[in-house]
Amino acid sequence: MSDCPCSPAAIAAALGPLAARFDVEVVAECASTNSQLLARAGSSPSGAVLVAERQSAGRGRLGRPWHAEADASLTFSLLHKLPRGTAPNGLSLAAGVAIAEALRALGTRGVMLKWPNDILRNGKKMGGVLIELASSSAVIGIGLNRRLPAGLPDEVKENAAALDIDIDRNRLLAELLGALHGVLDTFGSGGFAALRDRWSALNAYAGAPVRVISEFAVPVEGICMGVDVDGALLLETPVCVQRIMSGDVSLRPA
Ligand code: BTN
């Protein structure tokens, strides 16, 4: 595996003309790239990117920890200022589209998406997206397994996957940033509706029986009918098609 350390100069070279759209900082370690960028959201420009070789308190969705190891993972966050009047609904799905399409274009096989924020390879979790909002700014956090981190807890390891391509980290990051740039442009002008078909083409559970589980309500089972124009999951139950907003819920195969 190509293990050059991340460097802003190498990322800029791989980005080419798009480098002007990003302000990339690489740190050896921080608690969480999302937390750091959120704290600076008011004073940093759109396009600020923080890459960490290691996170001491990486966070996933629903307050879960995000396990990653230096070299084995790519962990970064991008600050994106939403154009005035743009609702952030579906932003997590939009970011997933960018990552999945970029990985496929690079030759990774079996990449699909699981609503609302998982990047799968061959049905197992290879990465995830964590969106956090601060007024009109969104911090888009991406964690991706380049290899399986050795210290993953067993219950996480069973359902975890890693990239199957040998690619320099700087180029990988540049490809992901380039794809995010394009998708965010589309999202800015047309909202998630403009990306819905692309998300649907990557939906790992299209037409499949699924269970939606939540800490606060009984699980609901139904058929995954895809997503609505705002990114809500459409779940066909025996009584109706329910719209499920992402909130605190998770999706499982039924
Ligand atoms: C999930 O699948 O639950 C989302 C995982 C998101 C992890 C990334 S790693 C970079 C950024 N910083 C964090 O603390 N979390 C996100």
Side-chain angles (χ1 to χ4, degrees), residues 198-221:
R198 284 162 68 182
W199 192 91
S200 301
L202 293 160
N203 179 6
Y205 291 99
V210 293
R211 176 181 302 130
V212 175
I213 56 172
S214 151
E215 209 182 319
F216 305 107
V218 288
V220 192
E221 290 197 3

Side-chain angles (χ1 to χ4, degrees), residues 30 48 70 72 82 90 97 156 168 207 231:
C30 70
L82 292 160
V97 168
V156 179
D168 168 67

Side-chain angles (χ1 to χ4, degrees), residues 21 31 39 47 111 117 153-154 176-177 188-189 214 251:
R21 302 302 193 100
V111 181
N117 73 318
D154 284 346
L176 299 182
L177 289 175
S189 52
S214 151
L251 188 75

Side-chain angles (χ1 to χ4, degrees), residues 31-35 50 55 57-62 64-66 68 74-77 117-119 125 127-132 139-144:
S32 150
T33 55
N34 260 41
S35 306
L50 182 62
Q55 294 185 119
R59 295 182 291 107
R61 234 182 111 245
L62 307 177
R64 296 180 186 132
W66 181 257
L74 186 66
T75 48
F76 70 98
S77 301
N117 73 318
D118 287 357
I119 298 147
K125 182 154 175 163
V129 179
L130 177 67
I131 304 277
E132 296 182 289
V139 172
I140 302 171
I142 310 287
L144 194 62

Side-chain angles (χ1 to χ4, degrees), residues 6 12 22 24 37 40 56 91 101 135 189 207 218:
C6 284
F22 298 102
V24 180
L37 270 194
R40 298 184 210 157
S56 55
L91 187 55
E101 288 182 349
S135 63
S189 52
V218 288

